Amino acid sequence: EVQLVESGGGLVQPGGSLRLSCAGSGFTFSGHDMDWVRQAPGKGLEWVGRTRNKAKSYTTNYAASVQGRFTISRDENSLYLQINSLKTEDTAVYYCVSYQSLVPYWGQGTLVTVSS
Amino acid sequence: EIVLTQSPATLSLSPGERATLSCAASQSVSSSYLAWYQQKPGLAPRLLIYDASRRATGIPDRFSGSGSGTDFTLTISRLEPEDFAVYYCQQYGTSPITFGQGTRLEIK
C-alpha cells in the first residue's frame, strides 16, 4: 500500500526557515515524480513544485510564486521541501503527492504557520 | 500555464439529486492527466477520478468522470449526505501543474 507521511511543520517567525519531509513507503520511491502542493487556510490548492523520477535525473521545477525561496530535494525514501525567508502568506497545509501509473497519491499534510 | 475554470462556484442540491460539475481548460489537457478530488474541512483531498474517467480505488460508482480536450465533467448520479463537500479538478501533465478553483456542493 502506498503511504506518504509529511512532517516538519510548525510555527515559524517571518523571515525564518523550515524543512518539511515526506516519507514514502509501499513503492519504489526513486521511480516516481513527486510534487509539493499547499493550501492556505480557506483557500484552494496551489502547486508548489515537482521533482522528476530517477530516470529523468531528479530534475526540479517550481511555481513562479515560490521560485528562489523553495528548494525540493529527495533521497532514497524521502522527499524534502526547504523553505527560506518565510512570509505570512506561506501559511498553509503542505502536501506531498506521488504519481504512480497516472494515479496521484497524497499524504495527510503538515501545517506551516508563519507568524510573529 | 493551463488555467482550469470550474463551474458553478457553488451548487445547491438535495440528497438524491444528480450533480454535474464542470472543469474547462484554457488549452487542451491530456485526458490521462486529469483528476477530480473531493475535500472536506480539515482533511486532505480525496482522489475520486483519474485519467479523466477512471474511478480511484474504493470510490462508489455514483461518481463518474467524462470529457476530453478542454472540457471535463464530474457527475454524481444520486447525491448522498456525505457527498456535500468541495470538489477540485487538476491537470498534472503539463508544468506548471494547475488546479481549478473548486466547486462547493452544498445541501439545498
Side-chain angles (χ1 to χ4, degrees):
Chain A
E1 180 191 4
V2 174
Q3 286 198 329
L4 298 167
V5 179
E6 300 94 337
S7 61
L11 175 63
V12 188
Q13 291 191 337
S17 298
L18 203 60
R19 190 194 197 203
L20 307 182
S21 301
C22 169
S25 61
F27 64 103
T28 305
F29 199 79
S30 63
H32 301 280
D33 294 353
M34 303 285 297
D35 285 355
W36 285 100
V37 174
R38 67 181 179 181
Q39 186 171 35
K43 303 297 184 182
L45 299 165
E46 179 188 18
W47 177 75
V48 169
R50 169 170 288 186
T51 173
R52 305 303 300 272
N53 60 36
K54 184 176 182 179
K56 296 185 177 169
S57 304
Y58 298 136
T59 54
T60 56
N61 61 317
Y62 301 91
S65 58
V66 306
Q67 182 81 43
R69 291 192 303 119
F70 286 34
T71 302
I72 296 174
S73 61
R74 64 194 293 174
D75 62 24
E76 199 171 297
N77 286 301
S78 292
L79 175 72
Y80 305 99
L81 180 66
Q82 177 72 38
I83 312 175
N84 297 327
S85 303
L86 276 156
K87 306 175 181 181
T88 55
E89 52 264 41
D90 295 322
T91 294
V93 176
Y94 285 75
Y95 299 99
C96 64
V97 184
S98 173
Y99 298 91
Q100 307 193 15
S101 301
L102 303 179
V103 181
Y105 291 86
W106 290 58
Q108 85 291 346
T110 187
L111 174 63
V112 173
T113 303
V114 184
S115 175
S116 54
Chain B
E1 172 177 327
I2 298 177
V3 176
L4 300 179
T5 303
Q6 291 187 239
S7 61
T10 303
L11 185 57
S12 299
L13 294 170
S14 300
E17 291 193 292
R18 180 184 186 91
T20 303
L21 288 67
S22 296
C23 177
S26 60
Q27 56 188 279
S28 186
V29 172
S30 167
S31 298
S32 298
Y33 300 97
L34 192 289
W36 288 93
Y37 299 89
Q38 176 194 72
Q39 190 176 34
K40 296 180 179 179
L43 297 179
R46 175 195 184 196
L47 178 67
L48 301 174
I49 301 288
Y50 67 97
D51 196 6
S53 61
R54 294 179 180 268
R55 272 188 299 276
T57 302
I59 301 302
D61 60 8
R62 65 180 182 273
F63 291 91
S64 63
S66 63
S68 64
T70 60
D71 292 294
F72 298 89
T73 301
L74 175 70
T75 301
I76 311 171
S77 60
R78 187 175 174 84
L79 285 166
E80 297 288 341
E82 62 268 27
D83 297 337
F84 292 91
V86 178
Y87 292 82
Y88 295 96
C89 58
Q90 177 204 24
Q91 70 81 20
Y92 50 101
T94 301
S95 186
I97 284 66
T98 49
F99 295 88
Q101 82 282 13
T103 289
R104 180 176 302 278
L105 178 57
E106 63 177 29
I107 299 177
K108 187 173 182 180

